[in-house]
Structures are given as C-alpha cells and as structure tokens.
Amino acid sequence: MTYVDDVLEDLKRKNPYEGEFIQTATEILRCLNVVFERHPEFQEAKILERFLEPERVIMFRVPWVDDNGKVQVNRGFRVQFNSALGPYKGGLRFHESVNLSVFKLLALEQILKNSLTGMSIGGAKGGSDFNPKGKSDAEVMRFCQSFMTELKNYIGPEIDVPAGDIGVGLREVGYLFGQYNRIANRHNCVLTGSGIEYGGSLVRREATGYGLIYILEEALKARGEILEGKKIIVSGSGNVALYAAEKAIQLGATVIAMSDSKGYIYDENGISIPFVKHIKEEKRKCIYEYLNDFPDTIYKEGSKGLWNIKCDIALPCATQNELDEESAIKLINNGVKYVAEGANKPSTPEATKLFLKSGLIFLPGKAANAGGVTTSVLEMAQRSSNMHWSFEEVDSRLKRTMVDIYRNIDKMAKEYGFEGNYVVGANIAGFIKVAKAMMAQGIV
Ligand code: NAP
C-alpha cells in the first residue's frame, strides 16, 4: 500500500455516500504517486489528508415563492475547499442534479484548475438544486434574492468571489449581485461574469471557448500543425461550445457538427455559427431550428450520435460524462487526432483511459477550460483598479495564460516521466503549487 492508497481508503471510510467526489479524488491521486516519491516532506506534513478535507462546507435553506403563490424550498451549497493560493473562486451551478458530493468534486477540480492559471486564487464551487429552466424571470429573481440573502454572509472580495456556471448566466448573476448590493450596501466585486454596464469584463463571455482554442492551437503548434483546414466537431451549443466554434472558424478550421440536449446537426461544408447563436442565445430554441435556414443540413435526434462523425478534432463542450467508452472507440477508430475538453469532466474515466492509451493528444478540462476563470480574475483586477481594458488587451492576456498552461503541463508531464500525458501533467502541476503554498503556511 502506498501513501496515496492509505489516504484513499480513509477518504472512502469518511465519505461513504459521496461516490462522485471519491471517483474524482481517486483519479487525481493516482497521478500523484510520483510526486510523493520525490517529496517525502509532503507526506510528513499530511498535505494530502489536508488537501482532501474542505476548509469549509456551507449548506443552507433557500425558500422562495413561485408565480402561483406557492412556497418552494431548495437547498443552497458553497464548498470553500482550499484558499492556500488566494481567495476562493469557482462557479455557482443551478441544476436539479447537484448535491454535496458533486460540489465537492467540482471544487476539488477547481483548486487545481485555478492553480494552473498561475493566478492567486483558491478553489470553491457552489450552487443549488434549483433549475431556472422553465421558470419565469420573476421566479428566478425571487430565488436568486433568497439564495444571496444567505450566501452574502460567506463571500467578499478578499474571501470568496463566485461566478456563473451551468444555469447561472448574465441574468442570474445580475439578480444575485443586485441583492448583495442592496443588503450589504456595498458595490464590491463579489461575483464575476457581471454585465458590462456594472463592472463586467470584455471577453468574459467568449473566454472559455476562446481559451480552449488557444490551448489547442499551442498543442498543434508544438507538433508542427495548424488549425487551418482541420475538421472539428463540437458538442453542445451553449456558452463554451459557441465561442470555441467561433474562434476555431476564425483560425481557419471547419466546424462540421454541433449538438444540444435533444440532437445534433451535421454539415460537411461547415456550420454557420451566427445562425446557431441566434437560435440558442437569442431565441433559446432547439438546434433543430437551424434547418429552417439550412434545410440541407443533417439533423439527428439524440446527442450521442455526434461522436460517430469522422473528424480531426473533437471538442466536448456540453456536460459531464457526455462522452463514454463506446463514443471514444468510435472517435479513435475514425482517426481523431486531438480531443480537448471545454466542459468539466465530459469524458468518462473509461473514455479518458482509451484516449490516453491510443496516443492521441488529450487536453483535460481542468487545463483546457481554464480560460473562464482566468478572465474572471482579469475582471476582478479591472474592478479593483477602476480600469476598463479593451477587448484586445483582455484577449491577449487570456491567450498568454492558455499558452503558459500548455507549456507548464507539458513540462511537468515530461519531468515526471509521462511525456504527452496531460492528465498527469495537469494534476501534478496544479497540485505541487498548492502543496508548496500549504507547506509554507504551516499547519492550518
Ligand atoms: P450552457 O451555456 O448551459 O450550455 C450547455 C450546452 O450543452 C447546451 O447547449 C445544452 O443543450 C447542451 N447539452 C446539455 N446536455 C447535453 C448532452 N447530453 N449532449 C449534448 N449537449 C448537451 O453551459 P456552458 O456554460 O457552455 O458550460 C458547458 C460546460 O462547460 C459545463 O460542464 C461547465 O461546467 C463547463 N465550463 C463552463 C465555463 C464557462 O465559462 N461557461 C467555464 C469552465 C467550464 P440545451 O440548449 O438543449 O440545454
């Protein structure tokens, strides 16, 4: 039994009902065995045991009244996992599928992602089992006001600065911020992803998708390749997917397929992103509507079939576990060369294993989708200095960070004997920085 095995056994014993969290912790820890061989001082200081225990978990009641005058009760969460590198930072997710285990896994991943950006931010995640889909604006506002009335007690510019995530977009961030401002009587930067009118940053909307393409471009460049002429499939048609597709096309690639939760569209000559944007961002309709303007496009129900399409590059940008073993086999057999994750943990552990084994270039989400949090920190910097940077300025800082992340994970993978394995590279690079900060700060 190694140190890592012992710690994992203990973690399972202490958290018997948190399957999702245990699964992610296991995947991360398996990459770290080599780190403890080189750094016995981490084991001595019980760094791993401390790293796996959240600094604070907050759970709270969120009561609100629906449009029929009926009382509804949801559950709110904030997992403030690790602040060794800086104030907690991580999104809020509003979706019926969430629970404590899911938030712990997302917060754990966020610690490493934030560390990889090279910025001074710790890791957190939170949200609620409330789903804004199908609710009226007034209902969403009442829910957000109730949620923030409690969350306000635990956040602040130097404490914890949440952002959006699934189910929390501009509208929700606006309502959350409005309530904070009213009850705290402070126009602080306590949430990022805000509207441009009240402190938001240019490029925040595009950041995760653009960042994904910047890191991919760097991986291609390292192999003497370019995006121009490549055929790409992108899953999802939400924030990450749309802007990844937009940037890929700007750089000369062709996006041949995209999906949503109902089905996918496929056109070998290329999908028109402005039309998909119009359907998804403005009309909030199904991707099927694309056929109204492009009747020759193929539409198939069910989103999984997307992965059967032959392509050079696959970008899973929709949701957790959307790309399973069967889909990975299809992609590999069809000759895919690069898979870069825009979503958080879209590939199942089995799919990830197959990608790594096949020798294709696999960029895991914790590195590849770090563009969003990077730009959130740029938003914080602009607000605290009362400055407003141009689109080009923010975009070039974002690009620089994504290139640095690639170089860092590539270097770490090589240094620890796993050349080309960016899952190992990202976990080691992210973890070592946090571990060193924890060591420096004593037993806390
Ligand atoms: P979003 O705007 O809500 O979009 C999600 C998209 O995925 C929607 O088009 C949705 O379809 C589609 N979808 C849902 N389930 C699907 C499935 N099983 N198959 C195919 N498509 C499906 O969310 P987002 O902000 O783009 O985030 C996507 C992922 O990226 C999440 O994992 C999120 O945590 C991660 N992420 C986001 C950011 C960010 O800055 N936004 C940053 C880092 C990571 P419908 O339109 O039909 O609902």
Side-chain angles (χ1 to χ4, degrees):
M1 290 271 276
T2 63
Y3 169 49
V4 162
D5 293 330
D6 284 343
V7 172
L8 270 174
E9 278 309 305
D10 202 40
L11 193 73
K12 285 180 200 156
R13 191 183 51 73
K14 279 188 189 156
N15 305 283
Y17 305 112
E18 296 181 2
E20 297 90 345
F21 172 58
I22 299 287
Q23 169 73 42
T24 298
T26 306
E27 284 161 38
I28 295 171
L29 264 58
R30 293 272 174 247
C31 299
L32 299 179
N33 268 314
V34 282
V35 173
F36 298 104
E37 284 163 19
R38 287 199 202 173
H39 291 278
E41 72 279 13
F42 289 166
Q43 181 172 350
E44 186 72 19
K46 291 216 158 121
I47 287 292
L48 205 43
E49 290 88 333
R50 288 195 270 149
F51 177 73
L52 291 168
E53 198 61 58
E55 288 170 11
R56 199 170 298 104
V57 171
I58 301 141
M59 280 174 65
F60 51 97
R61 181 172 67 208
V62 190
W64 56 284
V65 180
D66 69 18
D67 285 348
N68 298 319
K70 287 215 167 86
V71 177
Q72 302 288 342
V73 185
N74 286 97
R75 187 175 277 178
F77 301 83
R78 188 68 180 164
V79 178
Q80 297 180 331
F81 216 124
N82 192 299
S83 61
L85 297 182
Y88 305 107
K89 185 102 197 76
L92 295 173
R93 179 174 291 188
F94 290 170
H95 196 268
E96 67 269 2
S97 65
V98 299
N99 55 42
L100 181 59
S101 172
V102 169
F103 282 126
K104 280 177 73 176
L105 101 76
L106 292 170
L108 186 66
E109 287 274 302
Q110 193 79 40
I111 303 168
L112 300 174
K113 182 187 302 188
N114 292 359
S115 167
L116 287 173
T117 65
M119 291 162 158
S120 302
I121 38 172
K125 201 85 188 185
S128 174
D129 57 356
F130 168 83
N131 192 347
K133 253 193 187 172
K135 307 281 193 307
S136 70
D137 281 356
E139 287 177 323
V140 172
M141 181 177 75
R142 288 194 291 273
F143 172 82
C144 288
Q145 290 179 340
S146 179
F147 182 86
M148 182 51 86
T149 300
E150 181 60 24
L151 186 71
K152 161 199 153 280
N153 298 317
Y154 311 100
I155 61 174
E158 280 137 26
I159 305 167
D160 184 353
V161 187
D165 188 60
I166 294 175
V168 181
L170 259 186
R171 173 182 64 173
E172 289 76 15
V173 169
Y175 293 150
L176 289 165
F177 181 74
Q179 179 71 353
Y180 174 87
N181 193 12
R182 175 168 73 169
I183 57 184
N185 193 22
R186 277 182 176 78
H187 208 285
N188 277 336
C189 181
V190 286
L191 283 165
T192 54
S194 329
I196 298 290
E197 312 77 22
Y198 61 97
S201 174
L202 291 168
V203 195
R204 178 59 192 89
R205 186 181 54 165
E206 294 84 357
T208 308
Y210 278 22
L212 176 67
I213 301 303
Y214 292 148
I215 196 168
L216 173 66
E217 200 186 13
E218 192 60 21
L220 282 152
K221 197 169 136 197
R223 290 159 182 86
E225 295 196 72
I226 51 171
L227 263 168
E228 201 175 336
K230 298 281 187 294
K231 294 203 168 179
I232 302 188
I233 58 176
V234 182
S235 67
S237 44
N239 174 264
V240 180
L242 284 173
Y243 291 94
E246 179 175 278
K247 181 52 75 180
I249 292 170
Q250 280 173 17
L251 295 173
T254 308
V255 172
I256 57 172
M258 289 187 83
S259 59
D260 68 8
S261 58
K262 303 282 187 312
Y264 68 92
I265 51 173
Y266 169 41
D267 183 344
E268 194 59 24
N269 297 315
I271 302 288
S272 166
I273 302 309
F275 280 85
V276 184
K277 266 191 189 170
H278 178 62
I279 295 161
K280 300 305 287 187
E281 284 189 336
E282 287 161 37
K283 290 167 69 185
R284 291 175 186 255
K285 288 277 168 64
C286 285
I287 203 160
Y288 173 75
E289 299 233 337
Y290 186 83
L291 270 66
N292 293 341
D293 291 289
F294 296 90
D296 294 338
T297 309
I298 294 168
Y299 174 79
K300 293 254 170 83
E301 271 188 22
S303 13
K304 215 179 133 182
L306 177 90
W307 307 119
N308 298 344
I309 299 170
K310 186 174 166 57
C311 63
D312 303 305
I313 298 169
L315 303 178
C317 295
T319 191
Q320 234 155 285
N321 292 330
E322 55 167 312
L323 204 172
D324 61 11
E325 191 172 6
E326 193 190 337
S327 306
I329 292 170
K330 281 274 182 204
L331 282 169
I332 294 166
N333 288 346
N334 278 335
V336 69
K337 299 246 176 55
Y338 294 80
V339 177
E341 295 185 326
N344 283 320
K345 302 192 75 61
S347 315
T348 61
E350 296 76 26
T352 304
K353 251 185 226 154
L354 285 174
F355 288 145
L356 293 174
K357 205 169 142 207
S358 76
L360 61 77
I361 307 306
F362 177 73
L363 295 166
K366 71 168 71 78
N369 70 30
V373 72
T374 298
T375 310
S376 281
V377 179
L378 299 177
E379 178 178 334
M380 288 159 73
Q382 290 171 79
R383 279 180 84 157
S384 64
S385 60
N386 232 340
M387 302 280 285
H388 198 63
W389 298 335
S390 67
F391 191 96
E392 292 69 28
E393 164 100 51
V394 181
D395 192 37
S396 81
R397 286 173 189 258
L398 165 67
K399 186 167 183 180
R400 227 177 303 147
T401 303
M402 298 311 296
V403 167
D404 287 348
I405 292 176
Y406 174 77
R407 292 183 183 162
N408 190 16
I409 63 175
D410 185 57
K411 179 171 149 252
M412 281 302 192
K414 277 184 193 140
E415 219 172 284
Y416 280 84
F418 292 87
E419 183 162 355
N421 183 332
Y422 300 124
V423 174
V424 174
N427 283 325
I428 293 181
F431 176 76
I432 285 188
K433 188 169 176 219
V434 178
K436 286 186 173 168
M438 289 173 75
M439 289 290 287
Q441 292 170 28
I443 313 295
V444 289

